[in-house]
């Protein structure tokens, strides 16, 4: 007849200090590899938001232009995060044609969209974070100085 095995004590089942250090080193190395990729994905997402915002503003400007008797564009950008209509800007939409329910702002706090109006056209510009963005331009005079990446996204009157 076989003897029953005695239960093992906790110290016999545990990991050695070397084994724990090896596992921690492997996890740390993997984290170091994936963290920069994660940060770059966030930069690309903010850049996509900027491009989308400028295209939406461009479409709203075209609607605004059609409402004007002299076919002009706005003299300045409407107030950010407020409704923009033919009746003006406000937290709630003033009466009139609504151009944008909530005028967008740059996804990074402290950054702004640049707007340069002239007689019958305009230039909208935003500084990009991703240096490798294929849609980015390196001539950022309309944006002032895009020092972080040296790239900007420019939208003109269509």
């Amino acid at each position: 007849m076989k003897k029953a095995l005695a239960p093992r004590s906790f110290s016999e089942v545990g990991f050695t200090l070397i084994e724990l250090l090896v596992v921690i080193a492997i996890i740390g190395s993997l984290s170091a590899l994936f963290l920069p990729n994660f940060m770059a994905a966030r930069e690309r997402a903010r850049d996509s938001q900027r491009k989308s915002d400028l295209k939406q503003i461009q479409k709203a400007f075209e609607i605004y232009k059609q409402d004007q008797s002299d076919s002009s564009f706005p003299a300045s950008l409407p107030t950010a995060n407020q409704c923009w209509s033919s009746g003006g800007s406000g937290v709630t939409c003033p009466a009139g044609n609504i151009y944008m329910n909530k005028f967008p702002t740059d996804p990074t706090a402290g950054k702004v969209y640049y707007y340069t109006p002239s007689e019958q056209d305009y230039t909208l510009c935003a500084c990009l974070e991703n240096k490798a963005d294929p849609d980015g331009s390196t001539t950022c005079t309309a944006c002032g100085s895009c020092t972080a990446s040296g790239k900007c996204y420019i939208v003109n009157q269509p």
Side-chain angles (χ1 to χ4, degrees), residues 5-158:
L5 295 174
R8 294 168 48 172
S9 68
F10 179 74
S11 63
E12 293 175 355
V13 183
F15 296 106
T16 65
L17 181 60
I18 298 297
E19 290 170 332
L20 288 174
L21 289 175
V22 167
V23 168
I24 290 171
I26 290 171
I27 291 172
S29 299
L30 291 174
S31 297
L33 288 173
F34 292 121
L35 187 63
N37 289 335
F38 176 69
M39 297 303 285
R42 293 180 71 188
E43 287 177 356
R44 288 190 304 271
R46 285 190 298 267
D47 284 348
S48 291
Q49 181 66 46
R50 288 179 182 100
K51 293 176 195 178
S52 174
D53 286 349
L54 292 186
K55 289 176 185 175
Q56 289 176 5
I57 293 169
Q58 181 183 36
K59 291 174 185 173
F61 279 5
E62 290 303 312
I63 297 169
Y64 174 89
K65 179 182 174 181
Q66 291 174 358
D67 283 352
Q68 304 305 308
S69 60
D70 60 353
S71 297
S72 64
F73 293 103
S76 62
L77 288 177
T79 307
N81 297 320
Q82 291 193 359
C83 180
W84 178 41
S85 72
S86 59
S89 292
V91 177
T92 58
C93 288
N97 296 335
I98 297 174
Y99 306 124
M100 296 188 96
N101 282 325
K102 184 177 178 185
F103 198 84
T105 184
D106 194 280
T108 303
K111 290 189 174 185
V112 296
Y113 294 139
Y114 298 90
Y115 175 58
T116 309
S118 60
E119 294 285 326
Q120 293 296 314
D121 62 352
Y122 61 87
T123 301
L124 283 166
C125 185
C127 292
L128 299 177
E129 296 179 55
N130 183 6
K131 294 178 184 178
D133 193 309
D135 296 330
S137 172
T138 54
T139 42
C140 300
T141 55
C143 290
S145 176
C146 294
T147 55
S149 70
K151 287 231 175 171
C152 57
Y153 184 70
I154 300 171
V155 174
N156 296 311
Q157 175 192 1

